[in-house]
Amino acid sequence: MELFINQVLAGISTGAIYACMALAVVMIYQAIDHLNFAQGEMAMFSTFIAWQMMQWGVPYWWAFILTIIVSFLGGILIERLLFKPLAKAPVLTNVAGFIALFAIINSVAGLIWDFTIKQFPSPFGSSPFLGSQLISTHQAGMIGVTVVLLIALFLFFRFTRVGLAMRAAATVPESARLVGINTSWMIALGWGMASAIGAIAGILVAPVVFLEPNMMGGVLIYGFAAAVLGGLSSPLGAVIGGFLVGIFENLAGTYIPGVGNELKLPIALALIITVLVVKPNGLMGHTVVKRV
Amino acid sequence: MSTVQETFATTKSPSTELPAGKSNALGRNLSLLILLVMLVVPLFVRNFVIFQITMVLIYGIAVLALNILTGGSGQFSLGQSAFYALGAYTSGILMEHLGVNYALTLPVAGMVCFAAGFLFGFPALRLSGIYLALATFALAVAMPQLLKLGIFEHWTGGVQGLVVTKPDAPFDLPISQDAWLYYFTLAVTLVIYITSIFLLKSRSGRAMMAIRDNEIAASAMGVDVSLYKTLAFGISAGITGIAGGLGAIAVQFVAPDSYTIQLAIALFLGMVVGGVGWLPGSFAGAAFIVFVPNLAEEISKGLSGAFFGVLLLVVIYLVPHGAKQVATFAESLIDKLRKT
Amino acid sequence: MTALLDIKDLRSYYGQVQALHGIEFHLKEGSMTALLGTNGAGKTTTIRAICNMVRSTGTIQFEGKPLMGKSTESIVRLGIAHVPQGRGTFTTLTVEENLQLGAITRKDTKVIASDIEKMYSYFPKLKERHTQQAGTLSGGEQQMLAVARALMLRPRLMLLDEPSFGLAPLIVRDLFGIIGKINREDKVSILVVEQNAQLALEIADQAYVIETGRIVMSGSASDIVNNEDIQKSYLGH
Ligand SMILES: Nc1ncnc2c1ncn2[C@@H]1O[C@H](COP(=O)(O)OP(=O)(O)O)[C@@H](O)[C@H]1O
Ligand SMILES: [Mg+2]
């Protein structure tokens, strides 16, 4: 029993990483209706920007804030330059565009900062949290930041006009235009926000997985899985999904014989798919009652 | 009812749109011309280039298989590398452990993968769009790990993989192994290509496309949606398996890490570049995924990924519908020239 | 006096197919104009063209300013509210959020709440359901919501595409009563598209009849009602 509880705790702490990434995934999904495969790479690049600033002597929190701003603008820029021209192209062509972006960012980051692993600092330290060996203060801090972010997003979408406009543009773009919303800019804004949230995820993850151009590959996959499990349309669902995926992964690694690190991912994915077969809209997804 | 929805139903079908009137095959004269070029090409190029063209054909078959699934039935898969791997290992094991003739391993690889794909198609029935992408993705990620498992090691060679013997030309034909393999692959490709075109034109093919365009309408018309969707998965996996078997013979090596998610992504890109749903485009797309990474590598070693990405972006900006769009454009140009 | 809306030589296309072949009509400030025609005549296309939602050529002027080439959202911001065919409900949002969205471009945020109350007084059903997901409303309620959403813009001109479609006759009476009231009291000019010519001609002052993409008749509503051809083909006499 104690082993079980410990593994759940460990799962929650890795889950916080996935939850944070899943928030970014949901953000972009809301804006553009598909998953951005380059999102992890964008987050990685943001994290390198933060790292570079700290190398230049910028204090942690300043670097944190500046990186978020730069990432927000960068996300908007990427949308305006690369994806707005593809707005009328087929969906699968857009997906190919994400893959292209992935390749470009990964390769450029490798050239600028090379592929050696770099230490990344944590503002929360890494001592045991409340005396537990399983959760460090960094991981507790990460959970805290994720929750704060979730609340901030909730308030933004629920109580601001821009948030409402973004939701409207995401659900029925044509009607959104008919009430005067510039849907094209809402998409750009969604990219900016997703990029900023991705930057936060990257900065929080980096002390755990270390900084290098390929650091986000696995994290993004779990982030996708978490977001899909949560229902893709719900930030709360994404965070819950993130923690569940973390827990699944740890329990599978502990209790299913023969599951090494290698098979954890497929098993976690298989479990998620099983859930989806039963509940195709995810745990917290909209089930819209439609009448015609 | 439908009039209420008409203005708001997006005209895009989820995954694919063929430009109106674009048929799924090239004209007969053009096909024969291309075939002729393909037949004489080995006489004029180096062995390594022959090998590369062989790989284009093999990946072309795999992209075509994905096209049948996505363009034909509207389902999407990021898991094609898993079926490719299964086919490659089936051929490899049959040849190396059981001494089966290489040509005979291909139908077996096809059937094994057909069965696997058909079975996978059942749970996939419940999923669509992004969910199906995730499920097939899981398959692609799991496959290399499964192939490494200790219990199969005797057959699969574990992490090391298997070395596959390269076949000689039969009847003492005076051509190199590479050239022979090329002609052999070309023959297999032709058979699969022609069969696929007939398949999509047949009743079953039309049923699949009806499902792609509108699942509810298709089932109202009496199409057995579940059957055809799983069948499409099976057929697509089967053809991918044959490509995998051919790939094993051509590369002379099978190992788990040759068949990662990257292969599935490459096949997907091949489909987009060739034009989703347009079978002849599969080979144009395959050429892209074989040659463009090399080209990017030549432009700059350090930034090859970036150059690959940029080249890919250039292609999708210029022709968002891929080679299909180029062909449509060329056709209308020729029509115009004829008229004047 | 120039017309509020002035359309000349409007031609619209869906891909290669031409749906409108040179439409011309005017809408006077404060008027309620009906656009009549059978299914497929081009009514929806005409009002979609006004909001630049279909590829078109010709001139469209609103208060003397050209609309051609402006984006849909900037046309709406000029004070043209469009209630689309099919209602365009934001199904996953609440009724109240749908109403707020109608006013999303307005700067006078202080009075939006009181405008929402006004909509609730027009359509009490919406008040009862204001926290409900809009997709759960009945067809008639969604149509009311669509009209209310459009009014939240405080429009100068309202374009209504078949507001009676699929509604029970009693509900239609109610709705048209309110539309008439909005036109008279709130001074909103209205262009209403209808297949139900009888109904439209009762409340409209002007009417145009459109057939296969061309205006074939125009005049005051009373002239049109009394026209023999119209009586035969549209009013079923
Ligand atoms: N999205 C579309 N694509 C192609 N043709 C269309 C489309 N919408 C309407 N049409 C055609 O344009 C013509 C006018 O349609 P519409 O304006 O919707 O008619 P109405 O609203 O009067 O019933 C019809 O012939 C219709 O078939
Ligand atoms: Mg209409």
Side-chain angles (χ1 to χ4, degrees):
Chain A
M1 193 61 206
E2 200 186 321
L3 179 69
F4 180 80
I5 290 171
N6 284 342
Q7 286 304 321
V8 168
L9 271 179
I12 288 175
S13 68
T14 34
I17 302 175
Y18 308 150
C20 206
M21 200 63 217
L23 270 182
V25 170
V26 165
M27 198 57 241
I28 201 78
Y29 186 77
Q30 285 290 292
I32 63 177
D33 234 25
H34 25 101
L35 301 176
N36 173 5
F37 290 94
Q39 196 148 28
E41 302 312 288
M42 289 168 62
M44 171 274 291
F45 204 87
S46 298
T47 313
F48 265 114
I49 292 175
W51 178 83
Q52 188 66 66
M53 283 190 219
M54 285 185 249
Q55 292 295 303
W56 289 334
V58 179
Y60 185 92
W61 289 110
W62 276 111
F64 186 85
I65 289 165
L66 286 173
T67 301
I68 289 173
I69 294 170
V70 169
S71 304
F72 177 76
L73 297 176
I76 290 180
L77 202 67
I78 288 177
E79 196 278 334
R80 293 283 98 174
L81 289 180
L82 298 184
F83 290 97
K84 187 165 172 264
L86 288 179
K88 291 214 169 68
V91 174
L92 294 182
T93 304
N94 273 275
V95 175
F98 298 143
I99 293 168
L101 184 62
F102 181 107
I104 293 172
I105 297 179
N106 186 283
S107 159
V108 169
L111 188 82
I112 304 177
W113 292 293
D114 71 54
F115 285 88
T116 55
I117 288 176
K118 295 175 177 60
Q119 296 273 353
F120 196 92
S122 164
F124 307 109
S126 55
S127 42
F129 180 65
L130 301 178
S132 161
Q133 294 300 321
L134 284 159
I135 294 199
S136 69
T137 45
H138 175 73
Q139 279 156 330
M142 193 154 72
I143 295 173
V145 173
T146 305
V147 171
V148 169
L149 197 58
L150 176 65
I151 294 171
L153 277 178
F154 173 79
L155 296 176
F156 171 78
F157 281 117
R158 192 62 189 274
F159 294 110
T160 70
R161 295 180 104 198
V162 182
L164 181 60
M166 284 181 77
R167 279 195 289 153
T171 42
V172 198
E174 181 150 359
S175 292
R177 250 171 267 133
L178 284 180
V179 295
I181 295 169
N182 187 333
T183 47
S184 165
W185 269 103
M186 293 300 124
I187 291 172
L189 201 57
W191 271 83
M193 288 177 63
S195 170
I197 297 169
I200 297 175
I203 290 172
L204 291 177
V205 171
V208 185
V209 301
F210 300 112
L211 182 58
E212 52 111 3
N214 296 320
M215 70 184 242
M216 293 306 278
V219 177
L220 181 66
I221 293 166
Y222 283 107
F224 276 162
V228 169
L229 182 63
L232 276 172
S233 52
S234 150
L236 177 63
V239 169
I240 293 176
F243 287 121
L244 284 179
V245 169
I247 294 170
F248 275 175
E249 184 202 6
N250 268 282
L251 292 182
T254 315
Y255 288 104
I256 302 177
V259 176
N261 260 333
E262 309 271 70
L263 273 181
K264 265 184 177 180
L265 175 61
I267 286 187
L269 288 174
L271 253 170
I272 291 158
I273 290 158
T274 315
V275 172
L276 287 175
V277 167
V278 181
K279 226 176 161 317
N281 283 313
L283 296 174
M284 317 268 297
H286 288 300
T287 28
V288 183
V289 191
K290 266 197 189 138
R291 288 208 204 168
V292 179
Chain B
M1 292 282 139
S2 68
T3 45
V4 177
Q5 289 296 339
E6 82 188 350
T7 42
F8 274 80
T10 41
T11 43
K12 263 192 213 172
S13 74
S15 47
T16 124
E17 316 109 79
L18 273 174
K22 184 94 209 95
S23 96
N24 226 328
L26 296 171
R28 205 180 58 189
N29 292 342
L30 184 58
S31 305
L32 288 177
L33 181 70
I34 291 177
L35 181 60
L36 196 71
V37 172
M38 296 299 283
L39 282 173
V40 296
V41 118
L43 305 178
F44 301 103
V45 297
R46 286 176 294 132
N47 268 349
F48 180 67
V49 179
I50 297 180
F51 169 74
Q52 281 185 314
I53 303 175
T54 308
M55 290 314 291
V56 169
L57 292 176
I58 293 171
Y59 284 138
I61 297 173
V63 174
L64 178 139
L66 182 56
N67 256 323
I68 290 178
L69 185 67
T70 305
S73 79
Q75 301 180 94
F76 178 56
S77 167
L78 267 179
Q80 298 301 94
S81 60
F83 299 117
Y84 191 96
L86 198 59
Y89 268 91
T90 306
S91 282
I93 290 171
L94 286 176
M95 283 169 71
E96 297 312 312
H97 286 286
L98 305 173
V100 179
N101 176 284
Y102 63 96
L104 296 180
T105 66
L106 295 182
V108 183
M111 280 186 292
V112 168
C113 290
F114 173 84
F118 191 70
L119 290 178
F120 186 82
F122 279 102
L125 276 178
R126 295 269 307 170
L127 306 167
S128 63
I130 281 166
Y131 302 107
L132 185 58
L134 188 76
T136 50
F137 172 84
L139 192 66
V141 175
M143 187 53 85
Q145 311 301 348
L146 292 175
L147 291 171
K148 285 179 195 167
L149 286 186
I151 39 170
F152 305 129
E153 193 157 350
H154 170 68
W155 296 99
T156 60
V159 186
Q160 302 298 322
L162 286 175
V163 175
V164 179
T165 324
K166 197 171 199 171
D168 289 317
F171 321 120
D172 299 321
L173 287 176
I175 54 175
S176 68
Q177 282 181 323
D178 283 315
W180 164 244
L181 199 61
Y182 169 81
Y183 285 117
F184 177 69
T185 307
L186 185 61
V188 176
T189 308
L190 269 179
V191 171
I192 290 177
Y193 177 70
I194 293 169
T195 318
S196 304
I197 283 177
F198 279 107
L199 172 79
L200 287 188
K201 277 191 190 150
S202 70
R203 261 178 73 92
S204 307
R206 287 202 308 272
M208 285 181 205
M209 283 192 255
I211 294 171
R212 174 196 72 191
D213 293 338
N214 188 335
E215 199 168 318
I216 296 168
S219 91
M221 275 156 40
V223 174
D224 184 342
V225 172
S226 311
L227 175 69
Y228 280 107
K229 281 178 97 170
T230 39
L231 210 55
F233 241 107
I235 291 170
S236 172
I239 295 175
T240 311
I242 294 176
L246 274 171
I249 300 166
V251 181
Q252 303 165 62
F253 181 55
V254 290
D257 291 331
S258 314
Y259 312 110
T260 60
I261 182 71
Q262 282 186 7
L263 174 61
I265 291 174
L267 296 176
F268 164 75
L269 290 180
M271 175 172 73
V272 172
V273 170
V276 176
W278 190 52
L279 297 188
S282 308
F283 298 92
F288 183 91
I289 58 177
V290 170
F291 292 115
V292 173
N294 291 341
L295 180 67
E297 191 92 6
E298 269 169 38
I299 298 175
S300 155
K301 271 238 146 28
L303 275 177
S304 63
F307 280 106
F308 175 76
V310 170
L311 290 170
L312 178 57
L313 281 178
V314 168
V315 169
I316 61 181
Y317 284 145
L318 291 179
V319 280
H321 296 267
K324 178 171 67 180
Q325 200 174 347
V326 178
T328 317
F329 179 73
E331 248 169 41
S332 66
L333 201 68
I334 291 168
D335 273 0
K336 261 188 206 143
L337 287 178
R338 272 203 192 133
K339 272 181 201 146
T340 52
Chain C
M1 200 192 89
T2 59
L4 179 69
L5 185 70
D6 202 350
I7 294 182
K8 286 203 188 80
D9 197 31
L10 179 64
R11 294 161 193 275
S12 300
Y13 305 84
Y14 293 102
Q16 304 293 320
V17 183
Q18 185 168 0
L20 300 181
H21 304 267
I23 296 267
E24 176 156 345
F25 73 88
H26 319 281
L27 191 141
K28 282 207 283 289
E29 175 93 57
S31 86
M32 159 96 80
T33 302
L35 193 57
L36 310 174
T38 49
N39 207 353
K43 307 178 299 294
T44 298
T45 308
T46 304
I47 68 167
R48 284 171 69 85
I50 296 171
C51 293
N52 192 11
M53 295 166 80
V54 46
R55 191 166 62 83
S56 311
T57 62
T59 54
I60 304 175
Q61 291 197 319
F62 179 66
E63 300 182 308
K65 291 187 293 278
L67 296 187
M68 241 352 143
K70 280 191 155 64
S71 68
T72 301
E73 54 267 26
S74 52
I75 291 170
V76 171
R77 283 160 189 255
L78 294 174
I80 301 181
H82 183 152
V83 179
Q85 181 170 306
R87 304 181 282 259
T89 312
F90 296 101
T91 47
T92 56
L93 308 186
T94 67
V95 169
E96 184 138 335
E97 284 171 338
N98 269 265
L99 293 178
Q100 283 166 348
L101 279 165
I104 196 101
T105 58
R106 280 169 49 183
K107 301 280 181 286
D108 51 345
T109 48
K110 298 243 160 48
V111 289
I112 288 176
S114 68
D115 278 10
I116 290 181
E117 283 311 314
K118 189 168 159 196
M119 292 309 134
Y120 288 154
S121 70
Y122 284 153
F123 306 108
K125 269 275 160 50
L126 296 183
K127 188 179 177 87
E128 281 170 37
R129 305 185 185 278
H130 74 283
T131 55
Q132 221 166 297
Q133 246 192 20
T136 63
L137 299 186
S138 72
E141 289 161 347
Q142 285 193 34
Q143 189 67 61
M144 291 172 191
L145 180 60
V147 172
R149 189 181 71 210
L151 287 172
M152 288 299 296
L153 181 69
R154 292 205 172 172
R156 309 260 293 117
L157 170 65
M158 186 152 84
L159 311 172
L160 287 161
D161 198 344
E162 300 210 30
S164 71
F165 188 90
L167 304 189
L170 263 172
I171 297 177
V172 173
R173 286 277 151 214
D174 267 9
L175 188 64
F176 272 66
I178 290 169
I179 292 171
K181 191 170 152 193
I182 291 160
N183 176 241
R184 286 188 309 274
E185 294 176 7
D186 297 341
K187 304 275 178 284
V188 179
S189 310
I190 292 176
L191 175 65
V192 59
V193 161
E194 263 302 333
Q195 273 194 66
N196 186 338
Q198 180 110 44
L199 192 69
L201 288 171
E202 269 174 40
I203 60 163
D205 39 51
Q206 289 286 315
Y208 291 87
V209 180
I210 183 170
E211 249 171 43
T212 54
R214 291 181 179 84
I215 300 280
V216 293
M217 193 177 298
S218 64
S220 71
S222 48
D223 288 349
I224 302 259
V225 167
N226 295 321
N227 183 294
E228 270 185 23
D229 289 346
I230 294 294
Q231 295 208 331
K232 263 194 228 128
S233 39
Y234 293 96
L235 300 173
H237 293 305

